[in-house]
C-alpha cells in the first residue's frame, strides 16, 4: 500500500473559521488530488497537483485553496468554512497521470456547524 | 467533458449469487475506466482498470469487467458473491489524453449488500 496519511482524521469547526487539512505521502508520487465524498455524489475533485508548486482546480474548487511546497505534502484550506463543506475529504496520489492507479488516504471527516 | 452513471444506488444479492454492478460512461475522447471499492470507514482501493489493452479486464477478489464501446458501458461482475464483498463500489473515468493529469470523474456509487 502507498503510504498516505491524512490529518486530522476528524474535525468539528464553526462556520466562518479557516480549516487546513494535510495529506502526507511517502511514495514520492508526482500527482496528488483532493476529493470530497458526499452521499449521492460519489467523489468529486476539488484540486489537484502535478508537481511541487503546480496545482490546478477541479470541478468543485470554490471556497477551497491548496498548496504543495514539497513532493510529500499537499494541503487543502477552507478559507472560511461553511456548512455546505461538511463532508469526508480524501487525498489520493498517483505516480503518473492517465491510466495509473490512484492510491487513497483514509479520509478526514469534517463537520462545519 | 466526461461523466459516469451507475445504475442502482443499492444492489442486494444472496451469498453465492451473481454480482452485477452497472456503469455507463460518457467521454468525448477514448477513456480509461476504473472500478474502486470502499469498505466502511476506509479509503478507496482499486479493483480493476481498463486501459485499452483488452476489453475484458480481470481484477482482484474475483471481479471482472467488460468494456463495451458500442454500449458505452463498463459493468462489474463476479460469479459468486461472498459476504466480504459487501461494500460501496465506484466506477470512474479519465480521458486518455496527455493533459488529463489522471483526473478522475466518479459515478455516484453502488452499495452492495450480501445476504447469507
Amino acid at each position: 500500500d502507498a503510504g498516505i496519511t491524512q490529518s486530522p482524521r476528524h474535525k468539528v469547526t464553526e462556520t466562518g473559521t479557516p480549516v487546513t487539512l494535510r495529506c502526507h505521502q511517502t511514495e514520492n508520487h508526482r500527482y496528488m488530488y483532493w476529493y470530497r465524498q458526499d452521499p449521492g455524489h460519489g467523489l468529486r475533485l476539488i484540486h489537484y497537483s502535478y508537481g511541487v508548486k503546480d496545482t490546478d482546480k477541479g470541478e468543485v474548487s470554490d471556497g477551497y485553496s491548496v498548496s504543495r511546497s514539497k513532493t510529500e505534502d499537499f494541503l487543502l484550506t477552507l478559507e472560511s468554512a461553511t456548512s455546505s463543506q461538511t463532508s469526508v475529504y480524501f487525498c489520493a496520489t498517483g505516480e503518473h497521470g492517465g491510466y495509473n492507479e490512484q492510491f487513497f488516504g483514509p479520509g478526514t471527516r469534517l463537520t462545519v456547524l | 467533458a466526461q461523466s459516469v452513471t451507475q445504475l442502482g444506488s443499492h444492489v442486494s444479492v444472496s451469498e453465492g449469487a451473481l454480482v452485477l454492478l452497472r456503469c455507463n460512461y460518457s467521454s468525448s475522447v477514448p477513456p480509461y475506466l476504473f472500478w474502486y471499492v470502499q469498505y466502511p470507514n476506509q479509503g478507496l482501493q482499486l479493483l480493476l482498470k481498463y486501459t485499452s489493452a483488452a476489453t475484458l479486464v480481470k481484477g482482484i477478489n474475483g471481479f471482472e469487467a467488460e468494456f463495451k464501446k458500442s454500449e458505452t458501458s463498463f459493468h462489474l461482475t463476479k460469479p459468486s458473491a461472498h459476504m466480504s464483498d459487501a461494500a460501496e463500489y465506484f466506477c470512474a473515468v479519465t480521458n486518455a489524453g496527455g493533459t488529463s493529469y489522471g483526473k478522475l470523474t466518479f459515478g455516484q456509487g453502488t452499495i452492495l449488500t450480501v445476504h447469507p
Side-chain angles (χ1 to χ4, degrees):
Chain A
D1 290 339
I4 305 171
T5 56
Q6 293 184 231
S7 58
R9 294 292 315 280
H10 301 270
K11 187 172 182 66
V12 179
T13 191
E14 294 188 351
T15 298
T17 60
V19 176
T20 296
L21 309 183
R22 181 183 183 232
C23 177
H24 179 78
Q25 58 138 332
T26 59
E27 298 299 312
N28 201 36
H29 286 168
R30 176 183 175 186
Y31 295 85
M32 298 186 76
Y33 311 85
W34 276 107
Y35 296 92
R36 59 177 289 174
Q37 182 179 20
D38 304 288
H41 292 277
L43 281 79
R44 292 177 290 176
L45 182 65
I46 305 172
H47 281 279
Y48 65 100
S49 170
Y50 47 95
V52 174
K53 298 186 179 179
D54 292 322
T55 65
D56 205 349
K57 298 178 180 180
E59 66 174 302
V60 290
S61 60
D62 286 349
Y64 302 95
S65 62
V66 290
S67 66
R68 190 170 180 199
S69 58
K70 299 184 290 185
T71 297
E72 57 266 35
D73 289 326
F74 193 30
L75 304 180
L76 176 70
T77 297
L78 288 65
E79 294 140 9
S80 178
T82 68
S83 58
S84 64
Q85 294 176 311
T86 293
S87 186
V88 181
Y89 291 86
F90 286 98
C91 172
T93 72
E95 188 171 7
H96 307 288
Y99 61 84
N100 281 106
E101 174 181 2
Q102 289 185 22
F103 298 88
F104 284 78
T108 294
R109 183 172 296 276
L110 176 68
T111 302
V112 183
L113 302 175
Chain B
Q2 56 199 29
S3 65
V4 174
T5 301
Q6 291 182 238
L7 300 177
S9 58
H10 290 81
V11 170
S12 181
V13 301
S14 298
E15 192 172 21
L18 172 71
V19 175
L20 171 60
L21 305 183
R22 299 179 185 274
C23 172
N24 288 91
Y25 70 92
S26 172
S27 179
S28 57
V29 298
Y32 294 139
L33 293 156
F34 304 80
W35 275 100
Y36 283 85
V37 61
Q38 184 181 32
Y39 299 102
N41 300 312
Q42 294 186 24
L44 280 68
Q45 64 182 86
L46 183 71
L47 274 179
L48 49 79
K49 64 183 179 183
Y50 165 76
T51 59
S52 76
T55 57
L56 182 62
V57 180
K58 295 187 183 298
I60 62 172
N61 301 337
F63 284 94
E64 64 181 37
E66 186 172 8
F67 173 70
K68 292 186 177 181
K69 183 178 179 180
S70 61
E71 299 177 8
T72 60
S73 69
F74 191 55
H75 301 330
L76 182 70
T77 60
K78 182 174 180 178
S80 177
H82 294 165
M83 297 295 290
S84 60
D85 294 328
E88 189 163 16
Y89 292 79
F90 293 94
C91 182
V93 64
T94 189
N95 74 59
T99 59
S100 75
Y101 298 111
K103 295 178 292 181
L104 292 174
T105 298
F106 284 87
Q108 304 92 322
T110 298
I111 295 172
L112 176 65
T113 302
V114 182
H115 297 288

